[in-house]
Amino acid sequence: MSADTDSAPEYAPDVMGLDHTTVTGWGRTAPTAARLIRPRSYEEAAAAVRDCGERGGIPRGLGRAYGDAAQNAGGAVLDMTGLDRVHAIDADGGTVLCDAGVSLHRLMEVLLPLGWFVPVTPGTRYVTVGGAIGADIHGKNHHVSGSFARHVLALELLTADGEIHTVIPGTPLFDATAGGMGLTGVILTATIRLQPVETSLMSVDTERATDLDDLMARLAATDHRYRYSVAWIDLLARGAATGRAVLTRGDHAPLDALPARLRRDALSFRTSRLPSAPAVLPEGLLSRTTVGLFNELWYRKAPRSRTGRLQRISAFFHPLDGVPHWNRVYGRGGFVQYQFVVGYGQEDALRRIVRRISERRCPSFLAVLKRFGESDPGWLSFPVPGWTLALDIPAGLPGLGAFLDELDEEVAAAGGRVYLAKDARLRPELLPAMYPRLDDFRALRAELDPHGVFVSDLARRLHL
């Protein structure tokens, strides 16, 4: 693993080996105490599963799930980051076999010099392969490439009975594990199909959209030209400017697009870092006033239209990774990351929700809109064809819980769903409408793990 301090999991820094500690998600909203186990071999992982105790256990990676998916109050949490070997790379065929505890950051370090890139990356590269499969993560390229599990050729899964199974796509166990939030077992290894690249730079086009309808029209008309596409959206803008946005699209730059001085080192992986966010910040720092000012400046500084700008991979995909522990800027109360998707044909529902958020004056400066392509096979996988909006909101905002409950109901009524990897507060009665394969997941889990060895705070809250 890289020695990068930002790759450290989110729990008490003085915990070593086997101990009890407070564990939280990246949103830092609902910490719970658990017994932390850090296996260093597959045998230790199997022993840890046998030793979970009556409150069960849940595997955990680098702690970037925003909510309570990798927490287990009173039980065990299996920190899998100690299993982080890259076993084999097929540089001709474009596949890698690695442990589930390997981070996407580490894969980029190893693979980019060979002309390969991870097939899907979210907004942070500090996600483990096991977490990427368990949450079936998506990125800016879902409309082209789908989610992460679509590129997994096989995985090894340690189940509740202590057995290790080789699991392949097209089987019920694979479909339950992809997006299953760690509740079918501990992923030990995965074989992943990779994306070929000629350089470690991106060719990026940027443009402004004047409002939400303008943004959706631009995305729908031109997304097919780009592998990667995302829009930052100003959710504090109101009136005629409601939903105004900065649209950023791009693809991996070919070698002949680079100036001569950059071609000599075209596949190097470079990152940049800013100082870490302080451990303690003043409450109320992210007010409507300060976020409104930020949003105004961000929108105004964006070019009306610019094409072909070269950017590092880290700047295009993971700008926030350059600020270690950026989640601290929300203060001690933490924040809620709310993400939902509604299908094509439900644009009016999206308009209503954006308008309600704008009128509610939710101080969100990290809000993005994307388009999803075809659904992925995971029974609890989040993406379906449609529009997905993600936003961050300070958890202490008055009336936030009731407001998000109302949005949940509107999303469900439109046939949409919320993202479990980011959820920290969804009511369980809405889950069956959002995830039609929920009963299949529950039935397979009951058969595979009748004694409830694998369990999490998320699973208890949503009756998974």
Side-chain angles (χ1 to χ4, degrees), residues 59-139:
R60 181 182 175 97
L62 288 167
R64 294 307 177 95
Y66 286 83
D68 53 3
Q71 301 173 209
N72 182 24
V77 170
L78 280 61
D79 176 352
M80 299 302 295
T81 57
L83 293 173
D84 60 354
R85 291 168 295 174
V86 177
H87 293 282
I89 300 170
D90 180 352
D92 295 322
T95 63
V96 62
L97 169 62
C98 63
D99 284 343
V102 172
S103 71
L104 299 191
H105 174 88
R106 179 59 180 154
L107 286 183
M108 291 176 196
E109 287 182 322
V110 171
L111 296 171
L112 270 168
L114 302 176
W116 297 99
F117 189 61
V118 294
V120 172
T121 178
T124 175
R125 59 185 178 273
Y126 296 113
V127 176
T128 62
V129 167
I133 298 169
D136 201 12
I137 60 170
H138 57 272

Side-chain angles (χ1 to χ4, degrees), residues 170-185:
T171 63
L173 186 52
F174 187 94
D175 292 345
T177 300
M181 306 310 297
L183 296 172
T184 61

Side-chain angles (χ1 to χ4, degrees), residues 163-405:
E163 297 294 320
I164 297 176
H165 304 263
T166 298
V167 185
I168 60 173
T171 63
L173 186 52
F174 187 94
D175 292 345
T177 300
M181 306 310 297
L183 296 172
T184 61
V186 180
I187 300 171
L188 297 176
T189 70
T191 302
I192 306 161
R193 183 174 54 246
L194 304 170
Q195 169 69 32
V197 295
E198 294 182 14
T199 75
S200 61
L201 294 172
M202 305 295 297
S203 177
V204 181
D205 295 352
T206 304
E207 59 189 285
R208 288 191 215 165
T210 57
D211 58 27
L212 182 60
D213 283 339
D214 182 34
L215 172 61
M216 289 194 292
R218 290 172 187 259
L219 285 166
T222 59
D223 253 10
H224 65 279
R225 302 177 190 168
Y226 298 89
R227 179 172 294 276
Y228 303 100
S229 177
V230 66
W232 169 87
I233 184 169
D234 183 359
L235 291 177
L236 282 175
R238 292 185 289 181
T242 299
R244 68 179 181 177
V246 178
L247 179 55
T248 306
R249 275 93 63 92
D251 208 335
H252 298 279
L255 187 62
D256 59 14
L258 271 57
R261 61 183 175 82
L262 296 178
R263 294 183 190 180
R264 292 188 296 271
D265 203 14
L267 286 168
S268 64
F269 178 48
R270 295 189 179 93
T271 62
S272 58
R273 294 175 61 79
L274 296 172
S276 177
V280 179
L281 286 165
E283 295 296 327
L285 181 65
L286 296 182
S287 66
R288 292 183 177 96
T289 300
T290 57
V291 174
L293 178 61
F294 171 88
N295 286 3
E296 181 69 26
L297 293 173
W298 192 260
Y299 181 77
R300 294 297 175 189
K301 85 175 187 65
R304 293 184 184 276
S305 180
R306 180 177 61 197
T307 60
R309 183 191 181 195
L310 294 177
Q311 273 189 313
R312 292 179 183 175
I313 273 176
S314 58
F316 180 78
F317 290 106
H318 315 119
L320 287 175
D321 283 347
V323 185
H325 304 291
W326 63 263
N327 56 338
R328 294 174 181 170
V329 303
Y330 295 87
R332 294 185 184 277
F335 70 103
V336 173
Q337 175 86 183
Y338 184 67
Q339 184 169 5
F340 68 89
V341 58
V342 292
Y344 296 125
Q346 294 294 332
E347 286 78 10
D348 282 346
L350 177 63
R351 291 185 185 98
R352 286 194 302 270
I353 292 171
V354 168
R355 188 162 52 247
R356 292 186 65 179
I357 295 170
S358 174
E359 292 170 350
R360 183 68 168 70
R361 306 294 286 158
C362 293
S364 177
F365 71 96
L366 295 175
V368 296
L369 183 73
K370 296 193 294 279
R371 295 173 77 246
F372 281 157
E374 295 181 7
S375 299
D376 297 289
W379 292 344
L380 298 186
S381 183
F382 169 65
V384 294
W387 304 92
T388 180
L389 177 67
L391 61 147
D392 64 299
I393 312 171
L397 190 70
L400 179 61
F403 177 66
L404 293 181
D405 284 347

